[in-house]
Amino acid sequence: MSFYDWLLALHVIAAFALVAALTVFWSVAVAARGVERPADSVRYFRITKPANVAIIVGTVGTLILGIWLAIDANAYQVWDGWVIASIVLWAVSAETGRRGGLNYAEAEKQAKRLVAEGRNDPSPELVALLRNRNAALLNVLSTAAILLILVDMLWKPGA
């Protein structure tokens, strides 16, 4: 196996980590929309701990390894249009995902605080955070950008 093959394999593994983490986050976000009690939401947030690691590894790994691949390959350059498009989409996905995730981090913090205070009655504030339309929209944009990157990587327009 050549060095390029190793880079490509690691890049694909990072992309799988990213998509796996997104799948976990979407599963929890959809399931948590029906939650009203803090203790129930804390259970969902426990599931996301490994996904938090996977999203960081996947996000950083895909960018670094993708740029490295473009530098290492004779057929591609970092300034090729499809590579630049992927980097721009990566930035859009990372930032919209980060902003959407802030809302869920706040919901987790509030749920843990309520549980620590011994309050497990339905919390309208927690429900509002879990059902926040702006956070959901940001996560939709982040996921759409990831899907567009996948299309860009497979099609390589202009290459």
Side-chain angles (χ1 to χ4, degrees):
M1 238 169 103
S2 70
F3 183 69
Y4 179 84
D5 292 334
W6 278 105
L7 283 176
L8 182 59
L10 291 172
H11 179 69
V12 170
I13 289 168
F16 274 116
L18 180 60
V19 171
L22 282 174
T23 302
V24 169
F25 289 138
W26 271 112
S27 299
V28 169
V30 169
R33 287 185 69 82
V35 171
E36 293 183 356
R37 299 188 183 279
D40 295 334
S41 65
V42 168
R43 285 188 201 100
Y44 281 114
F45 288 123
R46 283 189 197 125
I47 296 168
T48 64
K49 296 303 177 203
N52 287 331
V53 174
I55 202 86
I56 293 166
V57 168
T59 301
V60 174
T62 54
L63 178 67
I64 291 171
L65 294 166
I67 291 172
W68 198 347
L69 278 165
I71 291 169
D72 189 60
N74 293 330
Y76 310 122
Q77 302 299 324
V78 176
W79 52 83
D80 286 349
W82 67 274
V83 175
I84 292 171
S86 290
I87 293 170
V88 169
L89 287 167
W90 176 92
V92 168
S93 176
E95 183 58 16
T96 54
R98 183 192 69 79
R99 286 185 183 184
L102 290 176
N103 179 76
Y104 294 107
E106 182 61 33
E108 179 180 16
K109 192 184 316 179
Q110 184 171 353
K112 285 181 178 180
R113 182 182 53 78
L114 291 169
V115 168
E117 293 172 359
R119 296 174 44 203
N120 197 34
D121 50 318
S123 168
E125 297 85 15
L126 180 60
V127 169
L129 286 170
L130 293 172
R131 297 179 185 168
N132 185 301
R133 287 187 176 270
N134 290 336
L137 177 61
L138 287 166
N139 289 330
V140 166
L141 292 172
S142 180
T143 302
I146 293 293
L147 292 173
L148 288 172
I149 291 171
L150 179 61
V151 169
D152 187 49
M153 291 284 113
L154 294 173
W155 182 36
K156 294 179 182 56

